Amino acid sequence: MPNETPIERRRRIAAHSGITSLRTDFKYICKKHPTRIGIITEGDSWFAYPKKWVLLGADINVIHHIEKVVAKTDKVNMLRLACNGDEAVDMMSGQQKADLESVMQQTSEYVKLILFSGGGNDIVGKRDMPMILNQYEEGFTAQDCIHAARFNRKMDAIMLAYDQLIDLRDEYIPDATIITHTYDLAKPSEDGAEFFWGLIKTKPWIYPYLIEKNIPEQLHLPIVEILLGTLKTRLQALASQPEHLDKLVVVDTQGILRPGNKTDWLNEIHPTESGFKKIAKPIYTKMRELIPALPAFK
């Protein structure tokens, strides 16, 4: 539009779509369209995995698929804060926690849902996997390959992060519901991420550390089943605590995808477009159970 400043143009576009990644613009569109359903999304790559050409390509994470349903419907204002590689502990500490706290304070009267994806990166990758795994010895079971004390401390730290998220919700937006998910079973492999026709590549997140510990291949998937199965159990137990009922909802998305299946999995730990859509559907179904005014999933 004539005589628009860059900020005005950006905010006009955000108000039209109902989607933004900027906290200041989210506050603006919430005030401009106060009857819309406010949704804050925060998390890891399951909420933020980039498209094939970063900005272009198929919808390739959970929030992409949800955004496709709600954008430009005049029903939703959504803030996207998720970032690849984020850990639950990091999101609930330091500047990230301060930023989330700030936006909750400023938009408390509008926000009804908080979508959160966290815990997977706290386990996998070079920061955590080497410490969680034991060096393999003859006769070890999958359980023996996991350093129990360290893994249990890691689980406690993840649950504390979720407790802190619930505390923020209680303090600033007590009418909102937090929705999170469990992680499907990723089969360890040598498949890392690739972008721009393979010009940019990443290493896998689990497989190299299993090899470093000399763990035989037949134990790889059972180890992942223990790690992610425990995370699922702990999350469900946290949500079932009486003081957390109606505050935290855990959508069980574990078991939807077929481990190692190329139709479901793009690389070692990230689903394909269709795989992410399978994960997004039950999450969105729960969102509509809580807020029936949301559009139907496509």
Side-chain angles (χ1 to χ4, degrees):
M1 298 180 72
N3 303 319
E4 270 188 327
T5 68
I7 292 176
E8 288 171 338
R9 180 178 184 276
R10 188 189 69 218
R11 288 183 171 176
R12 176 174 58 80
I13 293 170
H16 176 63
S17 68
I19 312 294
T20 181
S21 297
L22 298 176
R23 291 178 289 120
T24 54
D25 287 4
F26 182 64
K27 178 182 176 181
Y28 169 82
I29 64 175
C30 282
K31 288 188 173 183
K32 185 174 179 63
H33 298 282
T35 61
R36 291 180 182 175
I37 300 156
I39 302 174
I40 295 174
T41 72
E42 172 65 294
D44 52 25
S45 57
W46 277 46
F47 277 12
Y49 196 77
K51 296 183 178 185
K52 187 174 182 179
W53 295 286
V54 181
L55 295 177
L56 301 173
D59 295 328
I60 198 65
N61 64 55
V62 168
I63 300 304
H64 279 159
H65 287 288
I66 293 175
E67 179 182 332
K68 189 175 182 179
V69 177
V70 302
K72 301 178 182 178
T73 61
D74 199 32
K75 296 281 188 179
V76 165
N77 290 321
M78 179 185 288
L79 174 62
R80 300 187 58 164
L81 295 176
C83 184
N84 293 300
D86 269 1
E87 298 185 9
V89 170
D90 291 338
M91 287 184 274
M92 289 298 111
S93 62
Q95 191 60 50
Q96 283 186 271
K97 181 183 178 184
D99 289 345
L100 182 59
E101 182 175 10
S102 175
V103 77
M104 285 183 175
Q105 285 180 288
Q106 294 172 4
T107 60
S108 59
E109 61 188 292
Y110 310 109
V111 174
K112 301 303 179 186
L113 294 174
I114 304 163
L115 306 186
F116 190 78
S117 177
N121 286 329
D122 299 70
I123 300 170
V124 306
K126 63 182 180 181
R127 288 177 59 179
D128 301 292
M129 284 294 288
M131 298 294 290
I132 288 174
L133 297 173
N134 288 321
Q135 191 72 27
Y136 179 76
E137 295 180 18
E138 188 67 32
F140 265 18
T141 64
Q143 191 71 61
D144 294 329
C145 293
I146 299 169
H147 193 296
R150 292 174 181 172
F151 180 53
N152 289 336
R153 285 198 298 270
K154 179 60 68 173
M155 285 293 106
D156 290 343
I158 295 169
M159 293 307 110
L160 178 58
Y162 274 87
D163 272 325
Q164 290 173 319
L165 177 61
I166 294 169
D167 286 345
L168 290 178
R169 174 259 180 210
D170 289 350
E171 185 69 21
Y172 300 113
I173 43 176
D175 292 331
T177 303
I178 301 165
I179 299 178
T180 190
H181 64 89
T182 59
Y183 291 87
D184 220 324
L185 300 175
K187 183 179 180 181
S189 73
E190 298 182 70
D191 295 334
E194 293 189 10
F195 303 100
F196 295 109
W197 301 278
L199 295 176
I200 299 175
K201 296 182 179 181
T202 70
K203 294 181 180 180
W205 299 262
I206 304 173
Y207 182 79
Y209 310 106
L210 295 166
I211 297 302
E212 279 183 12
K213 301 290 185 176
N214 294 318
I215 297 172
E217 187 173 346
Q218 64 266 27
L219 296 180
H220 289 188
L221 183 57
I223 287 171
V224 172
E225 289 173 345
I226 293 171
L227 298 176
L228 296 182
T230 301
L231 177 58
K232 165 185 168 177
T233 300
R234 291 288 301 268
L235 280 173
Q236 290 174 328
L238 184 70
S240 68
Q241 292 177 12
E243 65 270 27
H244 294 156
L245 295 179
D246 301 322
K247 299 180 181 181
L248 175 65
V249 174
V250 179
V251 179
D252 185 9
T253 54
Q254 195 169 106
I256 290 176
L257 308 182
R258 297 158 290 183
N261 184 279
K262 295 297 184 181
T263 301
D264 289 343
W265 293 93
L266 180 66
N267 54 47
E268 189 187 41
I269 66 169
H270 298 106
T272 58
E273 176 196 4
S274 61
F276 267 127
K277 187 172 184 179
K278 291 178 183 178
I279 299 296
K281 186 174 182 179
I283 294 173
Y284 192 79
T285 297
K286 177 55 67 175
M287 292 167 62
R288 282 197 87 204
E289 284 180 16
L290 295 171
I291 305 181
L294 286 168
F297 192 80
K298 300 173 184 178

